[in-house]
mmCIF file of all heavy atoms in Angstrom:
data_model
loop_
_atom_site.group_PDB
_atom_site.id
_atom_site.type_symbol
_atom_site.label_atom_id
_atom_site.label_comp_id
_atom_site.label_asym_id
_atom_site.label_seq_id
_atom_site.Cartn_x
_atom_site.Cartn_y
_atom_site.Cartn_z
ATOM 1 N N SER F 117 100.038 128.108 104.291
ATOM 2 C CA SER F 117 100.990 129.225 104.350
ATOM 3 C C SER F 117 100.955 129.987 103.025
ATOM 4 O O SER F 117 100.828 129.391 101.955
ATOM 5 C CB SER F 117 102.400 128.707 104.617
ATOM 6 O OG SER F 117 102.746 127.721 103.677
ATOM 7 N N THR F 118 101.088 131.279 103.115
ATOM 8 C CA THR F 118 101.011 132.102 101.916
ATOM 9 C C THR F 118 102.046 133.221 101.968
ATOM 10 O O THR F 118 102.404 133.693 103.047
ATOM 11 C CB THR F 118 99.590 132.714 101.771
ATOM 12 O OG1 THR F 118 99.531 133.468 100.565
ATOM 13 C CG2 THR F 118 99.275 133.635 102.933
ATOM 14 N N GLN F 119 102.566 133.594 100.820
ATOM 15 C CA GLN F 119 103.437 134.760 100.688
ATOM 16 C C GLN F 119 103.632 134.995 99.199
ATOM 17 O O GLN F 119 104.386 134.275 98.544
ATOM 18 C CB GLN F 119 104.777 134.533 101.393
ATOM 19 C CG GLN F 119 105.751 135.690 101.278
ATOM 20 C CD GLN F 119 105.152 137.030 101.697
ATOM 21 O OE1 GLN F 119 104.634 137.747 100.843
ATOM 22 N NE2 GLN F 119 105.196 137.340 102.988
ATOM 23 N N ARG F 120 102.957 136.003 98.694
ATOM 24 C CA ARG F 120 102.975 136.238 97.246
ATOM 25 C C ARG F 120 104.362 136.628 96.742
ATOM 26 O O ARG F 120 104.658 136.465 95.549
ATOM 27 C CB ARG F 120 101.963 137.332 96.884
ATOM 28 C CG ARG F 120 100.520 136.923 97.168
ATOM 29 C CD ARG F 120 99.588 138.109 96.961
ATOM 30 N NE ARG F 120 99.581 138.533 95.563
ATOM 31 C CZ ARG F 120 98.639 138.187 94.692
ATOM 32 N NH1 ARG F 120 97.659 137.414 95.071
ATOM 33 N NH2 ARG F 120 98.690 138.611 93.454
ATOM 34 N N ASP F 121 105.226 137.144 97.635
ATOM 35 C CA ASP F 121 106.546 137.614 97.201
ATOM 36 C C ASP F 121 107.566 136.494 97.038
ATOM 37 O O ASP F 121 108.613 136.705 96.448
ATOM 38 C CB ASP F 121 107.107 138.622 98.209
ATOM 39 C CG ASP F 121 106.293 139.900 98.236
ATOM 40 O OD1 ASP F 121 105.546 140.135 97.259
ATOM 41 O OD2 ASP F 121 106.385 140.641 99.226
ATOM 42 N N TRP F 122 107.304 135.319 97.614
ATOM 43 C CA TRP F 122 108.319 134.264 97.584
ATOM 44 C C TRP F 122 108.543 133.782 96.154
ATOM 45 O O TRP F 122 107.599 133.530 95.408
ATOM 46 C CB TRP F 122 107.904 133.094 98.475
ATOM 47 C CG TRP F 122 108.253 133.291 99.923
ATOM 48 C CD1 TRP F 122 108.368 134.471 100.587
ATOM 49 C CD2 TRP F 122 108.511 132.267 100.881
ATOM 50 N NE1 TRP F 122 108.678 134.254 101.906
ATOM 51 C CE2 TRP F 122 108.776 132.913 102.121
ATOM 52 C CE3 TRP F 122 108.544 130.880 100.838
ATOM 53 C CZ2 TRP F 122 109.076 132.205 103.285
ATOM 54 C CZ3 TRP F 122 108.836 130.174 102.000
ATOM 55 C CH2 TRP F 122 109.109 130.835 103.206
ATOM 56 N N GLY F 123 109.828 133.622 95.808
ATOM 57 C CA GLY F 123 110.178 133.126 94.484
ATOM 58 C C GLY F 123 111.574 133.594 94.131
ATOM 59 O O GLY F 123 112.124 134.487 94.777
ATOM 60 N N GLY F 124 112.157 132.958 93.149
ATOM 61 C CA GLY F 124 113.504 133.342 92.748
ATOM 62 C C GLY F 124 114.548 132.926 93.749
ATOM 63 O O GLY F 124 114.404 131.910 94.428
ATOM 64 N N ARG F 125 115.595 133.711 93.864
ATOM 65 C CA ARG F 125 116.708 133.357 94.755
ATOM 66 C C ARG F 125 116.233 133.299 96.215
ATOM 67 O O ARG F 125 115.629 134.259 96.698
ATOM 68 C CB ARG F 125 117.803 134.403 94.621
ATOM 69 C CG ARG F 125 119.033 134.100 95.441
ATOM 70 C CD ARG F 125 120.110 135.125 95.149
ATOM 71 N NE ARG F 125 121.299 134.859 95.924
ATOM 72 C CZ ARG F 125 122.435 135.523 95.781
ATOM 73 N NH1 ARG F 125 122.527 136.481 94.887
ATOM 74 N NH2 ARG F 125 123.470 135.223 96.518
ATOM 75 N N PRO F 126 116.506 132.183 96.911
ATOM 76 C CA PRO F 126 116.013 132.074 98.292
ATOM 77 C C PRO F 126 116.772 133.050 99.201
ATOM 78 O O PRO F 126 117.952 132.861 99.465
ATOM 79 C CB PRO F 126 116.335 130.629 98.675
ATOM 80 C CG PRO F 126 116.675 129.940 97.417
ATOM 81 C CD PRO F 126 117.197 130.988 96.480
ATOM 82 N N ASN F 127 116.125 134.087 99.638
ATOM 83 C CA ASN F 127 116.792 135.091 100.471
ATOM 84 C C ASN F 127 115.846 135.647 101.526
ATOM 85 O O ASN F 127 115.810 136.844 101.766
ATOM 86 C CB ASN F 127 117.361 136.226 99.605
ATOM 87 C CG ASN F 127 116.262 136.956 98.857
ATOM 88 O OD1 ASN F 127 115.109 136.533 98.879
ATOM 89 N ND2 ASN F 127 116.620 138.052 98.207
ATOM 90 N N HIS F 128 115.067 134.763 102.115
ATOM 91 C CA HIS F 128 114.125 135.191 103.141
ATOM 92 C C HIS F 128 114.480 134.529 104.467
ATOM 93 O O HIS F 128 113.865 133.546 104.867
ATOM 94 C CB HIS F 128 112.692 134.827 102.747
ATOM 95 C CG HIS F 128 112.161 135.667 101.635
ATOM 96 N ND1 HIS F 128 111.343 136.753 101.842
ATOM 97 C CD2 HIS F 128 112.344 135.583 100.299
ATOM 98 C CE1 HIS F 128 111.035 137.308 100.679
ATOM 99 N NE2 HIS F 128 111.636 136.611 99.734
#
Side-chain angles (χ1 to χ4, degrees):
Chain F
S117 54
T118 182
Q119 179 52 268
R120 295 173 65 99
D121 293 342
W122 276 28
R125 183 175 180 174
N127 62 353
H128 288 261

